[in-house]
Amino acid sequence: ENTEPIMPDEYTELLAVSIPTVTDSVTADDGTEIFSYTAQNMQLIHPNELIAENIMHDFQKRLDAMQGEIQQLRTAAQAEYAATENWYPYFYQVIYSPTRIDHGVLSLFGTQNSYSGGNHGNLSCIAANYDMNTGDVLTLGSVMHMDATTADFIELLIPKLSAMADD
Protein backbone atom coordinates (compact mmCIF):
# COMPACT_ATOMS: atom_id res chain seq x y z
CA GLU A 1 0.00 0.00 0.00
CA ASN A 2 1.34 3.46 -1.00
CA THR A 3 1.19 5.96 1.89
CA GLU A 4 2.99 8.88 0.24
CA PRO A 5 0.93 12.06 -0.14
CA ILE A 6 -0.45 12.69 -3.60
CA MET A 7 1.14 15.82 -5.07
CA PRO A 8 0.05 17.64 -8.21
CA ASP A 9 2.29 17.31 -11.25
CA GLU A 10 3.25 20.96 -10.96
CA TYR A 11 3.53 22.57 -7.55
CA THR A 12 2.12 26.10 -7.49
CA GLU A 13 3.27 28.55 -4.84
CA LEU A 14 0.59 30.18 -2.74
CA LEU A 15 -1.07 33.41 -3.87
CA ALA A 16 -3.71 35.03 -1.71
CA VAL A 17 -5.26 38.45 -1.37
CA SER A 18 -7.30 39.75 1.52
CA ILE A 19 -8.81 43.22 1.61
CA PRO A 20 -10.39 43.65 5.05
CA THR A 21 -12.69 46.59 5.63
CA VAL A 22 -11.82 49.42 8.02
CA THR A 23 -14.46 51.92 9.15
CA ASP A 24 -14.07 55.24 10.93
CA SER A 25 -16.90 57.54 11.96
CA VAL A 26 -17.61 60.92 13.50
CA THR A 27 -20.51 61.31 15.92
CA ALA A 28 -22.11 64.37 17.49
CA ASP A 29 -22.28 64.91 21.25
CA ASP A 30 -25.81 63.46 21.22
CA GLY A 31 -24.54 60.22 19.61
CA THR A 32 -25.84 60.94 16.09
CA GLU A 33 -23.52 59.69 13.37
CA ILE A 34 -22.40 62.63 11.24
CA PHE A 35 -19.88 61.01 8.89
CA SER A 36 -18.47 57.56 8.21
CA TYR A 37 -15.55 56.42 6.10
CA THR A 38 -15.07 52.85 4.93
CA ALA A 39 -11.97 51.66 3.10
CA GLN A 40 -9.75 48.62 2.99
CA ASN A 41 -6.23 47.51 3.80
CA MET A 42 -4.72 45.06 1.36
CA GLN A 43 -2.84 42.00 2.48
CA LEU A 44 -1.15 40.00 -0.28
CA ILE A 45 0.66 36.67 -0.05
CA HIS A 46 3.04 36.20 -2.97
CA PRO A 47 6.19 34.06 -3.31
CA ASN A 48 8.17 37.25 -3.98
CA GLU A 49 7.87 39.69 -1.07
CA LEU A 50 9.10 42.64 -3.14
CA ILE A 51 6.33 42.13 -5.70
CA ALA A 52 3.76 41.92 -2.90
CA GLU A 53 5.12 45.11 -1.32
CA ASN A 54 5.01 46.98 -4.66
CA ILE A 55 1.39 46.03 -5.22
CA MET A 56 0.30 46.85 -1.67
CA HIS A 57 2.18 50.18 -1.87
CA ASP A 58 0.37 51.14 -5.09
CA PHE A 59 -2.98 50.14 -3.58
CA GLN A 60 -2.30 52.34 -0.55
CA LYS A 61 -1.27 55.27 -2.80
CA ARG A 62 -4.68 55.00 -4.48
CA LEU A 63 -6.41 55.28 -1.12
CA ASP A 64 -4.12 58.09 0.03
CA ALA A 65 -4.98 60.09 -3.10
CA MET A 66 -8.61 60.19 -1.91
CA GLN A 67 -7.82 61.59 1.54
CA GLY A 68 -8.28 65.26 0.57
CA GLU A 69 -11.78 64.59 -0.76
CA ILE A 70 -12.61 62.52 2.32
CA GLN A 71 -11.47 65.27 4.69
CA GLN A 72 -13.53 67.87 2.80
CA LEU A 73 -16.62 65.68 3.06
CA ARG A 74 -16.00 65.08 6.80
CA THR A 75 -15.65 68.84 7.41
CA ALA A 76 -18.78 69.63 5.36
CA ALA A 77 -20.78 67.00 7.28
CA GLN A 78 -19.76 68.48 10.62
CA ALA A 79 -20.71 71.99 9.46
CA GLU A 80 -24.03 70.92 7.91
CA TYR A 81 -25.14 68.79 10.89
CA ALA A 82 -25.49 71.82 13.14
CA ALA A 83 -27.62 73.64 10.54
CA THR A 84 -29.95 70.76 9.55
CA GLU A 85 -33.00 69.38 11.37
CA ASN A 86 -33.53 66.15 9.42
CA TRP A 87 -30.09 64.64 9.27
CA TYR A 88 -28.87 61.77 7.15
CA PRO A 89 -25.18 60.96 7.75
CA TYR A 90 -22.63 61.72 5.06
CA PHE A 91 -20.37 58.85 4.06
CA TYR A 92 -17.47 57.88 1.84
CA GLN A 93 -16.78 54.25 0.91
CA VAL A 94 -14.07 52.67 -1.20
CA ILE A 95 -14.56 48.93 -1.60
CA TYR A 96 -12.54 46.64 -3.90
CA SER A 97 -13.15 42.98 -4.71
CA PRO A 98 -10.66 40.70 -6.45
CA THR A 99 -11.94 39.57 -9.84
CA ARG A 100 -8.80 37.68 -10.89
CA ILE A 101 -5.83 36.42 -8.94
CA ASP A 102 -3.29 34.09 -10.47
CA HIS A 103 0.44 33.97 -11.12
CA GLY A 104 0.03 36.37 -14.05
CA VAL A 105 -2.51 39.00 -12.99
CA LEU A 106 -4.23 40.50 -9.97
CA SER A 107 -7.36 42.42 -10.96
CA LEU A 108 -9.44 44.37 -8.47
CA PHE A 109 -12.80 45.95 -9.24
CA GLY A 110 -14.15 48.55 -6.88
CA THR A 111 -16.67 51.21 -6.15
CA GLN A 112 -16.16 54.67 -4.75
CA ASN A 113 -19.43 55.69 -3.14
CA SER A 114 -20.18 58.93 -1.30
CA TYR A 115 -23.13 60.88 0.04
CA SER A 116 -23.02 64.58 0.88
CA GLY A 117 -26.67 65.49 1.26
CA GLY A 118 -29.34 65.89 -1.36
CA ASN A 119 -31.44 63.27 -3.09
CA HIS A 120 -28.80 60.72 -3.98
CA GLY A 121 -25.18 59.80 -3.51
CA ASN A 122 -22.36 59.51 -6.02
CA LEU A 123 -21.01 56.22 -7.31
CA SER A 124 -17.91 55.62 -9.42
CA CYS A 125 -16.47 52.33 -10.61
CA ILE A 126 -12.73 51.94 -10.16
CA ALA A 127 -10.21 49.23 -10.99
CA ALA A 128 -6.65 48.27 -10.21
CA ASN A 129 -4.73 45.70 -12.25
CA TYR A 130 -1.26 44.37 -11.51
CA ASP A 131 1.30 42.17 -13.23
CA MET A 132 1.99 39.43 -10.67
CA ASN A 133 5.39 38.69 -12.21
CA THR A 134 6.74 42.22 -11.74
CA GLY A 135 4.36 44.03 -9.38
CA ASP A 136 3.81 46.72 -12.02
CA VAL A 137 0.44 48.35 -12.68
CA LEU A 138 -1.12 46.94 -15.85
CA THR A 139 -2.32 49.51 -18.34
CA LEU A 140 -4.51 48.98 -21.38
CA GLY A 141 -1.42 49.27 -23.57
CA SER A 142 0.45 46.59 -21.62
CA VAL A 143 -2.50 44.20 -21.83
CA MET A 144 -2.94 44.78 -25.56
CA HIS A 145 0.84 44.42 -26.04
CA MET A 146 1.20 47.59 -28.03
CA ASP A 147 2.66 51.04 -27.62
CA ALA A 148 -0.19 53.42 -28.09
CA THR A 149 -1.25 56.83 -26.88
CA THR A 150 -4.63 57.65 -25.44
CA ALA A 151 -5.58 59.14 -28.80
CA ASP A 152 -4.72 55.83 -30.50
CA PHE A 153 -7.03 53.95 -28.12
CA ILE A 154 -9.81 56.46 -28.63
CA GLU A 155 -9.44 56.06 -32.39
CA LEU A 156 -9.79 52.28 -31.97
CA LEU A 157 -12.61 52.30 -29.42
CA ILE A 158 -15.00 55.07 -30.52
CA PRO A 159 -16.03 53.39 -33.79
CA LYS A 160 -16.61 50.10 -31.97
CA LEU A 161 -18.66 51.78 -29.24
CA SER A 162 -20.66 53.71 -31.84
CA ALA A 163 -21.45 50.50 -33.69
CA MET A 164 -22.56 48.88 -30.44
CA ALA A 165 -24.80 51.86 -29.65
CA ASP A 166 -26.41 51.61 -33.11
CA ASP A 167 -27.19 47.92 -32.47
Side-chain angles (χ1 to χ4, degrees), residues 25-36 74 77-84 87 89-90:
S25 63
V26 175
T27 56
D29 292 338
D30 63 5
T32 302
E33 185 176 88
I34 297 173
F35 174 79
S36 67
R74 179 189 316 255
Q78 291 169 313
E80 291 292 321
Y81 174 71
T84 305
W87 180 253
Y90 288 14

Side-chain angles (χ1 to χ4, degrees), residues 144-166:
M144 295 179 70
H145 305 293
M146 58 188 281
D147 265 338
T149 65
T150 301
D152 294 332
F153 286 122
I154 290 172
E155 190 175 311
L156 290 170
L157 293 175
I158 295 298
K160 298 287 184 187
L161 291 173
S162 295
M164 289 170 58
D166 291 342

Side-chain angles (χ1 to χ4, degrees), residues 100-157:
R100 177 178 172 181
I101 179 170
D102 58 41
H103 286 277
V105 174
L106 170 61
S107 288
L108 305 171
F109 172 78
T111 57
Q112 183 178 354
N113 192 5
S114 65
Y115 176 77
S116 59
N119 292 329
H120 59 82
N122 298 304
L123 177 68
S124 299
C125 294
I126 49 180
N129 299 289
Y130 302 97
D131 183 325
M132 292 292 274
N133 295 306
T134 64
D136 294 338
V137 173
L138 288 174
T139 63
L140 185 56
S142 63
V143 172
M144 295 179 70
H145 305 293
M146 58 188 281
D147 265 338
T149 65
T150 301
D152 294 332
F153 286 122
I154 290 172
E155 190 175 311
L156 290 170
L157 293 175

Side-chain angles (χ1 to χ4, degrees), residues 13-57:
E13 294 183 278
L14 178 64
L15 289 177
V17 65
S18 173
I19 316 175
T21 303
V22 178
T23 301
D24 183 26
S25 63
V26 175
T27 56
D29 292 338
D30 63 5
T32 302
E33 185 176 88
I34 297 173
F35 174 79
S36 67
Y37 166 61
T38 304
Q40 295 164 300
N41 292 322
M42 177 188 284
Q43 299 166 351
L44 178 63
I45 297 172
H46 189 284
N48 183 315
E49 288 183 31
L50 184 58
I51 290 174
E53 287 176 18
N54 286 344
I55 292 171
M56 290 186 297
H57 179 72

